[in-house]
Amino acid sequence: MPNTATLQREAAVNVYRSVEQGLKETGAETCGLMFIHCAGQSQPEQQVRTHLEQTSESAFQVWEDGATQAIAVLLPGLTLDEVHYEGLRIKHELQETVPGADPQITLASFPAGERPSKATIQHMAESAKLVDPSEIHIYTLDKTADEPERILIVDNDPTVREFLQLRLRMQGYETYEAVDGLAALELIEKITPDLVLTELNLYGIDGLPFIQHIQNLDVAQPPKIVVLTEQRVEQTISQCFRSGVDDYMTKPFSPVELDARIRRCLH
Amino acid sequence: MVAIYYVVAVNTLYFSILALSFRNIWTIFRRSHYSKYNTLSGSELVPSVSLLVPAYNEELTIIENVNCLMTLNYPTYEVIVVNDGSSDTTLKVLLEEYRLKPVPNTKIRGKISCQKIRGIYHNPEFPDLYVIDKENGGKADSLNAGINLSHYPLISSIDADSLLEKDALIRMARMYMENPEETVAIGGDVRIANGCKIENGAVQDVSLPRKIWPMFQSIEYLKAFLGGRIGWSHMNGLIIVSGAFGMFRKDAVIAVGGYRDGYPGEDMNIIIKLHRYMLENKLKYRVAFCPEAVCWTQAPDSYRILSSQRKRWGRGNLKNMIENRGMLFNPKYKVMGMLTMPYNILFEALNPYFRITGLLALTGYVLMDMTQWPILVLFGLLNVVSGYLLSVGALVLEEIAFKRYNKLSDLVKMLFYSALKFVGYHQLGVLWRLQGHIQFMQNNNSWGTMTRQSWSEEEKTSEAA
């Protein structure tokens, strides 16, 4: 005799499976996915459905997720900004029609090559509850259901550290910072980051010996190392790569490029 | 009466130099504030520098200093430590810390003669560090050995008891790059590290020395570097680039035959030689001073060591003046001959004699005719006031451009000590110079005593104080 909890869990898993299935069936086009959660009341699934029937030109699917109390909406063929617009309209509609509704919405759009796993879909559903109702949250694939990757930022310049911290946190990394090489070495032993993003021009210990120290540390898995520095001297760059640095970028840098390079190092 | 004219002349000169310094200070301020040193310090286009670090019995501070020099903000440079036949474990400490191995084929094909090289040490893990071990031959000889090994077109001499600020070298290089054709030497600004908090080879927290001797020297250095050298360099009449931190074009140094050996004052000597060489060959040149490139040095904090240092300076100065007396009032040597040399001979080297005779003469007048004592007092007061004004001028320069000391208490302290200098310290300076001259006459050319504290000890003692 299964109790209600397991039933609910099964139903939930089924919802995620159906979402995954729905994503698969959309074929080669991008596919929008949205989770809507209204705190403190029954979920206005019906309103969402009718709204979409009246307005949406393309096919859509709606489920109610019993586990997270969220409504899953699949919007095949919609790019991210279209999904976002749709989310805005739904939010507006709900605020008009359901008294006291304050929908929390998280949404994403997945290209054909980047279909999320079931765990990711579940994570996304759970994250809907945590969204600030005043905004619409855009869910990024990096926020996987497992542990977020840890990045240690080593730089002398507080402005650079702050900028990188903000940017990398927004992408769901866990960030730590160190002012100089010696402090960084201590931290690495403590927190075992997945990636060290470092300047070469540091106090206390020079960049190259610092990198060699990192690689000789007694940790289970030595962190990846990405250098972000003013140094443009080719000899230094080649020395860095020879001592096993994963990537090398010079300041002033393009943040987008940095994101891409970090992503590539970690996945 | 001579004394009166002397004082008037010396003060006129001092104030004109100070005025020149003031004229330049805004440029210096803008230069040090708005230049993009960070971008520069990663550029391929910055000329490479060889840092030469002569070390004699420096086991306590050498590692800290080399670590500091290895983490400078500079694209391409090498550090060459020259162990000058130390009698302590300087070499051993270095070899252990950096796991250095002897380099085979130690034959240096240098252009300058120096003492026998015992060995050269290097470790590929630290590609930019070399250690030369040689027979004892003095500081100049060590520098020559360093020049012989150096791989780069610029050399920079750095005392083993000094810490460079991270940006010091790149600031100097920026100045060199403004005019690489003509610049043959650049001097850096030397400041007193006593009382500052020093952590892994960098000055973290700037404050004034707590002890009285270093405190006086702080004021003295400020006055000499900011109030004096900025002005002198403006006229291209700089006669000394501090041995603690200076940068030279290697070809020029080799052209004048490297550093002179066997006598103190080698830092002044090399600059005079460069001036002479350039002027005699009618080459356009400049000897620049870069006040924003700062090097922190440990000042002697006991009477014994300080007096021995000052006597040595007195000796070196006199020797250089006598050797180069031919430049005096010789129009061929332009600013050097007409202004710098006369100033250094009359107002620096012969200063003690003028002072003593002037004072004797004045007291003589007064004793013969007692009504004249107000004149003596007035004269003394005028002297003190003008001297004090010069110190205050230097402080104002410091506050305009650098603001290294940013506590109000520090400023008050500096003003107070600037006044206190005239009671005792000033007179001692004259006495030490005189003693130096006497030593010179006795043909004593030793380096004198110099003991070191390790940087951490310096911290401990200052915390205890």
Side-chain angles (χ1 to χ4, degrees):
Chain A
M1 179 83 196
N3 58 18
T4 45
T6 44
L7 269 180
Q8 257 189 0
R9 202 174 310 134
E10 272 177 19
V13 169
N14 281 337
V15 168
Y16 303 139
R17 195 176 295 150
S18 338
V19 171
E20 201 182 15
Q21 201 62 37
L23 278 163
K24 270 203 190 105
E25 283 161 12
T26 53
E29 54 184 353
T30 58
C31 180
L33 178 63
M34 186 185 322
F35 281 95
I36 306 162
H37 176 262
C38 288
Q41 54 181 334
S42 62
Q43 298 305 317
E45 191 203 347
Q46 201 49 52
Q47 283 91 331
V48 175
R49 204 180 280 278
T50 46
H51 165 79
L52 282 168
E53 275 162 2
Q54 284 160 12
T55 59
S56 177
E57 291 110 32
S58 54
F60 63 90
Q61 284 172 283
V62 180
W63 299 269
E64 184 161 3
D65 174 6
T68 60
Q69 306 294 321
I71 304 160
V73 182
L74 192 70
L75 299 156
L78 265 59
T79 56
L80 184 57
D81 50 358
E82 288 166 331
V83 180
H84 194 262
Y85 177 66
E86 198 57 61
L88 274 170
R89 286 211 301 186
I90 289 175
K91 185 171 181 166
H92 195 80
E93 174 70 18
L94 289 177
Q95 281 168 336
E96 296 267 304
T97 55
V98 183
D102 212 358
Q104 297 161 293
I105 299 181
T106 180
L107 49 84
S109 175
F110 300 107
E114 289 182 33
R115 295 289 189 238
S117 65
K118 216 159 37 203
T120 310
I121 297 169
Q122 183 178 351
H123 184 252
M124 186 170 166
E126 281 162 0
S127 74
K129 278 187 189 174
L130 309 173
V131 174
D132 179 357
S134 65
E135 60 178 17
I136 288 182
H137 183 251
I138 293 175
Y139 184 86
T140 49
L141 251 187
D142 297 341
K143 257 206 173 119
T144 43
D146 47 21
E147 287 284 288
E149 273 118 353
R150 288 193 294 269
I151 295 181
L152 171 64
I153 298 160
V154 190
D155 200 303
N156 216 337
D157 184 344
T159 327
V160 174
R161 285 203 310 271
E162 187 188 13
F163 173 80
L164 291 171
Q165 287 246 53
L166 283 171
R167 186 160 183 100
L168 293 170
R169 276 202 188 144
M170 270 170 66
Q171 297 172 40
Y173 296 110
E174 208 175 298
T175 58
Y176 299 86
E177 55 174 20
V179 182
D180 61 44
L182 298 169
L185 285 171
E186 277 174 29
L187 255 179
I188 290 172
E189 288 194 310
K190 244 184 276 171
I191 60 172
T192 57
D194 301 289
L195 185 138
V196 178
L197 181 62
T198 177
E199 167 64 85
L200 287 181
N201 171 21
L202 300 165
Y203 278 96
I205 180 171
D206 193 35
L208 276 167
F210 170 62
I211 287 163
Q212 279 155 1
H213 268 281
I214 295 180
Q215 280 157 337
N216 299 336
L217 278 178
D218 188 20
V219 287
Q221 207 184 359
K224 304 260 185 199
I225 302 168
V226 176
V227 175
L228 176 66
T229 177
E230 299 268 2
Q231 275 279 14
R232 280 179 188 67
V233 180
E234 283 173 11
Q235 204 189 347
T236 313
I237 298 177
S238 73
Q239 268 173 343
C240 276
F241 278 118
R242 243 179 310 173
S243 60
V245 162
D246 293 85
D247 213 332
Y248 193 104
M249 278 187 70
T250 52
K251 295 177 188 170
F253 61 100
S254 134
V256 175
E257 188 186 350
L258 181 74
D259 296 346
R261 283 168 187 265
I262 286 180
R263 240 199 325 273
R264 203 189 54 195
C265 277
L266 287 172
H267 301 292
Chain B
M1 276 331 279
V2 176
I4 306 256
Y5 287 127
Y6 180 84
V7 168
V8 169
V10 87
N11 278 319
T12 316
L13 192 60
Y14 275 139
F15 279 107
S16 348
I17 295 289
L18 187 69
L20 276 180
S21 295
F22 267 98
R23 225 191 92 177
N24 280 300
I25 200 75
W26 305 110
T27 319
I28 290 164
F29 170 77
R30 285 198 301 270
R31 191 170 69 202
S32 56
H33 262 254
Y34 301 123
S35 295
K36 293 190 85 174
Y37 291 111
N38 266 343
T39 311
L40 206 58
S41 66
S43 160
E44 287 266 24
L45 305 172
V46 178
S48 322
V49 184
S50 299
L51 303 183
L52 311 180
V53 189
Y56 178 68
N57 292 355
E58 307 275 1
E59 55 180 1
L60 290 175
T61 53
I62 192 76
I63 294 299
E64 186 98 22
N65 289 314
V66 173
N67 274 340
C68 159
L69 293 177
M70 302 266 281
T71 57
L72 291 179
N73 197 358
Y74 202 83
T76 325
Y77 69 101
E78 62 181 356
V79 180
I80 301 176
V81 184
V82 187
N83 175 38
D84 189 22
S86 301
S87 55
D88 67 353
T89 56
T90 302
L91 183 69
K92 193 163 144 274
V93 169
L94 278 168
L95 298 193
E96 275 171 14
E97 172 73 16
Y98 300 106
R99 302 179 296 284
L100 300 162
K101 302 275 177 298
V103 176
N105 186 15
T106 54
K107 194 161 164 33
I108 298 184
R109 290 188 303 276
K111 293 190 174 67
I112 310 170
S113 61
C114 61
Q115 290 286 345
K116 187 173 173 300
I117 308 279
R118 291 185 207 147
I120 300 169
Y121 301 88
H122 182 247
N123 174 359
E125 272 180 61
F126 303 93
D128 301 324
L129 175 69
Y130 293 87
V131 173
I132 301 179
D133 182 32
K134 62 181 262 300
E135 305 283 338
N136 183 292
K139 187 177 167 186
D141 189 69
S142 312
L143 287 168
N144 289 340
I147 292 173
N148 286 339
L149 177 77
S150 64
H151 304 94
Y152 296 138
L154 294 176
I155 53 166
S156 173
S157 61
I158 290 159
D159 272 2
D161 62 339
S162 308
L163 294 175
L164 287 195
E165 283 191 357
K166 218 169 159 56
D167 277 349
L169 206 57
I170 193 74
R171 284 166 189 258
M172 247 188 205
R174 194 205 67 89
M175 195 166 210
Y176 170 80
M177 286 162 78
E178 279 178 359
N179 193 346
E181 284 291 305
E182 292 173 17
T183 310
V184 289
I186 303 178
D189 183 13
V190 180
R191 285 162 186 261
I192 304 287
N194 304 40
C196 297
K197 202 170 109 216
I198 287 155
E199 272 173 17
N200 48 40
V203 175
Q204 296 292 347
D205 181 26
V206 177
S207 57
L208 287 169
R210 288 170 192 77
K211 293 182 183 163
I212 188 159
W213 294 116
M215 187 64 220
F216 279 136
Q217 289 172 79
S218 277
I219 306 278
E220 215 176 5
Y221 277 51
L222 267 187
K223 194 168 150 182
F225 280 88
L226 299 185
R229 290 193 191 175
I230 297 176
W232 281 115
S233 69
H234 179 79
M235 310 186 285
N236 200 10
L238 204 58
I239 196 166
I240 184 166
V241 156
S242 184
F245 180 35
M247 189 193 266
F248 302 85
R249 226 170 60 199
K250 192 161 85 179
D251 58 347
V253 173
I254 290 174
V256 300
Y259 285 84
R260 177 205 45 200
D261 217 11
Y263 216 86
E266 80 295 323
D267 46 1
M268 183 187 275
N269 181 268
I270 189 88
I271 296 295
I272 297 180
K273 279 202 294 192
L274 283 170
H275 275 292
R276 277 193 91 131
Y277 175 82
M278 289 296 186
L279 288 164
E280 281 166 8
N281 291 300
K282 300 212 170 24
L283 299 164
K284 266 193 79 129
Y285 79 106
R286 71 167 183 165
V287 174
F289 173 63
C290 184
E292 64 265 38
V294 177
C295 143
W296 296 87
T297 190
Q298 252 189 59
D301 58 0
S302 70
Y303 177 87
R304 192 173 59 90
I305 299 174
L306 180 62
S307 64
S308 115
Q309 181 199 43
R310 292 307 153 103
K311 287 174 203 167
R312 190 176 75 230
W313 288 5
R315 270 185 289 140
N317 183 310
L318 188 64
K319 166 114 179 157
N320 286 325
M321 292 305 132
I322 291 174
E323 276 183 359
N324 294 292
R325 60 188 180 279
M327 291 170 79
L328 190 63
F329 294 122
N330 185 338
K332 187 172 90 173
Y333 294 109
K334 295 185 181 147
V335 177
M336 276 305 281
M338 301 311 286
L339 206 60
T340 309
M341 287 302 280
Y343 161 82
N344 270 282
I345 289 178
L346 291 175
F347 302 135
E348 293 281 330
L350 300 181
N351 181 321
Y353 308 104
F354 277 104
R355 271 180 192 277
I356 291 162
T357 49
L359 205 66
L360 284 177
L362 273 169
T363 37
Y365 291 147
V366 174
L367 285 174
M368 279 183 244
D369 181 0
M370 287 304 288
T371 53
Q372 290 248 318
W373 69 267
I375 293 191
L376 180 64
V377 173
L378 187 74
F379 188 72
L381 272 179
L382 268 178
N383 230 334
V384 169
V385 166
S386 68
Y388 190 63
L389 276 179
L390 288 169
S391 294
V392 172
L395 285 185
V396 172
L397 288 174
E398 156 77 21
E399 289 306 310
I400 290 173
F402 302 107
K403 295 200 183 63
R404 284 278 195 288
Y405 302 103
N406 38 23
K407 300 182 203 119
L408 189 66
S409 60
D410 279 350
L411 196 64
V412 173
K413 196 171 163 181
M414 283 199 282
L415 284 171
F416 172 71
Y417 272 92
S418 306
L420 201 64
K421 243 177 67 168
F422 294 100
V423 193
Y425 185 75
H426 212 73
Q427 288 73 10
L428 275 176
V430 176
L431 177 72
W432 288 330
R433 183 164 287 168
L434 197 63
Q435 285 176 317
H437 290 185
I438 293 166
Q439 284 182 348
F440 176 77
M441 301 303 169
Q442 293 166 338
N443 264 333
N444 164 355
N445 65 357
S446 67
W447 193 262
T449 47
M450 185 75 205
T451 55
R452 292 246 186 277
Q453 290 180 302
S454 81
W455 294 105
S456 47
E457 230 173 273
E458 161 77 29
E459 257 174 76
K460 279 186 207 110
T461 50
S462 63
E463 274 163 22

